[in-house]
Amino acid sequence: MTFRPKFVTFDCHGTLINYDMAGAARRIYGEMLDDAKMTQFIRNFAAYRLDEVLGAWKPYADVVANSLERTCKANGVTFREEDALRIYEEVPTWGPHPDVPAGLAKVAKEIPLVILSNAMNSQIMSNVEKLGAPFYKVITAEETGTYKPQMNGFEYMLDVLGCGPEDITHCSSSFRYDLMTAYDLGIKSKVWVNRGHEPANPYYEYTEIKDIGGLAGVFGL
C-alpha cells in the first residue's frame, strides 16, 4: 500500500530553489581563473560551506564569508569581504527549479508541505514566495539554533509538527545535508531528487525522482 505521510518535509536550497552558489562564484572569480581552476574553486567552496555548518550556529553570512575566505586561501585568490556579502545578498533573489511550482502544487492539495532549511529568517521567505505553493511550516536553522546535517534541526521540526519520524516523508537532493541524517533518525520514507549534486547511495533507502514533478507519483496522487 502506498504510504501517505502526515507531512512532506523538504530541504529548500538546492532541492526546491536553484541554489546558484557556483554561478555566484563564477560571476566574481570567473575572469581570474581558468575553467579547471574555477571548477576546483567551486568544489572547495561547497566543501568548506559544509564544514562551516558542523559546529555551533552562527549567522549564515558568516558561513558564506568564512567558507569563501578559506576557499580563496586554498586557491591562491585574494579574499574580499564585499565579495562574500555580494554572494550572501544574492541568496534571497534565487527562484525555483522549473519543475518545482507545478510539482509542489499537486502534492499540496493532499498533504501539508514543510520546509527545514539552513537559512536565515530574514531571507528564506523571499525564496519560499517564489515556489508557488502553500507551506504549512517554514523552519530555519536560525530558529532551531543548528544547521543540517546536525540532528537537532530535524528533532526540533518533529516536535513542532507533533509527530514522529514514521509520520513524514523527507525530500532532498542531498545525502550529506539531509538524507543521511534522516536515515539515522529513523525516517523511513525518504525521497532523493537527483539533481546531479551527489552520486546515488542506495544504502540510505530512498525513492529516487528526477525532479519534483515526480513527487506526486510517490504518494499515488
Side-chain angles (χ1 to χ4, degrees):
M1 189 170 68
T2 301
F3 176 63
R4 183 73 63 90
K6 292 182 179 178
F7 302 94
V8 186
T9 61
F10 294 89
D11 166 61
C12 185
H13 294 125
T15 302
L16 303 178
I17 292 293
N18 183 12
Y19 189 60
D20 194 24
M21 281 291 185
R26 287 186 187 279
R27 287 186 280 277
I28 294 172
Y29 301 101
E31 294 184 358
M32 306 177 197
L33 302 169
D34 62 29
D35 288 346
K37 290 181 179 179
M38 192 71 240
T39 297
Q40 184 60 50
F41 187 99
I42 289 167
R43 185 178 297 117
N44 291 153
F45 190 25
Y48 283 127
R49 288 198 309 276
L50 176 60
D51 191 63
E52 284 288 330
V53 300
L54 296 178
W57 184 88
K58 51 183 172 280
Y60 199 68
D62 294 350
V63 172
V64 173
N66 293 351
S67 57
L68 186 63
E69 184 171 17
R70 295 168 74 185
T71 301
C72 287
K73 180 179 179 181
N75 289 272
V77 175
T78 300
F79 168 74
R80 301 187 306 168
E81 290 185 2
E82 56 264 38
D83 293 334
L85 181 61
R86 176 179 163 185
I87 292 175
Y88 175 73
E89 290 180 343
E90 269 199 40
V91 175
T93 72
W94 295 335
H97 294 284
D99 53 274
V100 167
L104 285 181
K106 190 170 183 180
V107 177
K109 293 176 182 178
E110 303 292 338
I111 308 170
L113 311 181
V114 176
I115 281 174
L116 177 64
S117 177
N118 279 359
M120 298 292 289
N121 296 341
S122 61
Q123 290 193 319
I124 188 64
M125 293 314 297
S126 179
N127 298 122
V128 173
E129 289 163 2
K130 297 176 177 66
L131 296 176
F135 279 84
Y136 176 78
K137 289 284 185 185
V138 176
I139 299 170
T140 67
E142 183 177 5
E143 180 180 346
T144 68
T146 189
Y147 286 107
K148 298 179 296 180
Q150 297 181 63
M151 289 183 173
N152 295 1
F154 287 89
E155 293 171 324
Y156 178 97
M157 177 179 71
L158 292 172
D159 287 344
V160 166
L161 297 178
C163 65
E166 70 279 2
D167 296 319
I168 69 170
T169 294
H170 191 66
C171 179
S172 178
S173 61
S174 175
F175 292 100
R176 298 181 79 180
Y177 277 96
D178 285 85
L179 297 177
M180 292 167 66
T181 305
Y183 175 90
D184 289 341
L185 284 170
I187 298 172
K188 300 295 185 184
S189 180
K190 297 176 291 299
V191 174
W192 178 46
V193 187
N194 185 356
R195 297 207 183 274
H197 302 154
E198 300 170 19
N201 194 334
Y203 176 84
Y204 292 102
E205 299 174 353
Y206 53 85
T207 298
E208 178 180 346
I209 57 176
K210 67 176 183 178
D211 57 42
I212 297 299
L215 187 59
V218 173
F219 308 118
L221 302 177

